[in-house]
Amino acid sequence: MIKAFLLDMNQKDLYKLSSMLQHTGKVNVIGMSAYPENVVDKIVLLQPDVLFLDLQLPGQQGMVVAERVKKKLPDIQIVIVTESKQHALWAFDQDIVDYVLKPLEEVRLGQSLERLHKGS
């Protein structure tokens, strides 16, 4: 079972993603947050296998969170779940496993989980 942490400032999207992931039977959501402040320490403490991260956080906080988490947990896999394509090149330069655009679709999320499985 994949242990996941979710970070998205949109509560509706956060709970939708959590529900979709748990429904697959392959993912255990061990933590989630709508607030980027102090989230890196929480993620490091919980040691998830994957971070599902929305980059649409104030300023550049989404990218900063991704970089800090990768520094502290080099083996963590990160999946970007966002509304914009604008940071796709940055994401792949950072060795991000997948870049999923909202609105979330079950088929696309399933493809992302397959990539996680291959990467582990």
Side-chain angles (χ1 to χ4, degrees):
M1 178 95 45
I2 299 169
K3 297 183 299 179
F5 190 95
L6 319 180
L7 176 59
D8 192 322
M9 287 189 62
N10 183 319
Q11 295 261 350
K12 185 178 175 186
D13 288 347
L14 190 64
Y15 288 106
K16 179 179 180 180
L17 177 58
S18 176
S19 176
M20 290 174 76
L21 288 170
Q22 303 241 35
H23 184 73
T24 67
K26 299 176 183 175
V27 179
N28 180 20
V29 176
I30 60 171
M32 56 186 191
S33 180
Y35 307 99
E37 300 82 19
N38 303 319
V39 76
V40 174
D41 292 336
K42 189 174 183 181
I43 293 167
V44 170
L45 180 69
L46 291 172
Q47 299 277 311
D49 301 312
V50 61
L51 168 62
F52 286 86
L53 172 66
D54 185 359
L55 291 178
Q56 303 296 108
L57 303 174
Q60 298 291 310
Q61 287 188 65
M63 292 185 285
V64 170
V65 167
E67 290 169 358
R68 287 184 181 161
V69 168
K70 268 295 206 189
K71 234 177 230 174
K72 293 188 178 211
L73 297 173
D75 293 333
I76 194 169
Q77 298 184 79
I78 299 177
V79 174
I80 303 298
V81 181
T82 195
E83 294 175 349
S84 171
K85 296 177 186 178
Q86 95 182 59
H87 299 295
L89 291 176
W90 168 87
F92 289 105
D93 284 344
Q94 298 300 313
D95 200 25
I96 301 296
V97 174
D98 205 358
Y99 198 98
V100 181
L101 293 175
K102 294 178 183 179
L104 294 171
E105 298 173 2
E106 283 187 43
V107 171
R108 181 64 183 91
L109 195 57
Q111 292 169 339
S112 190
L113 292 177
E114 284 299 312
R115 286 187 177 154
L116 286 172
H117 186 67
K118 289 176 186 171
S120 59

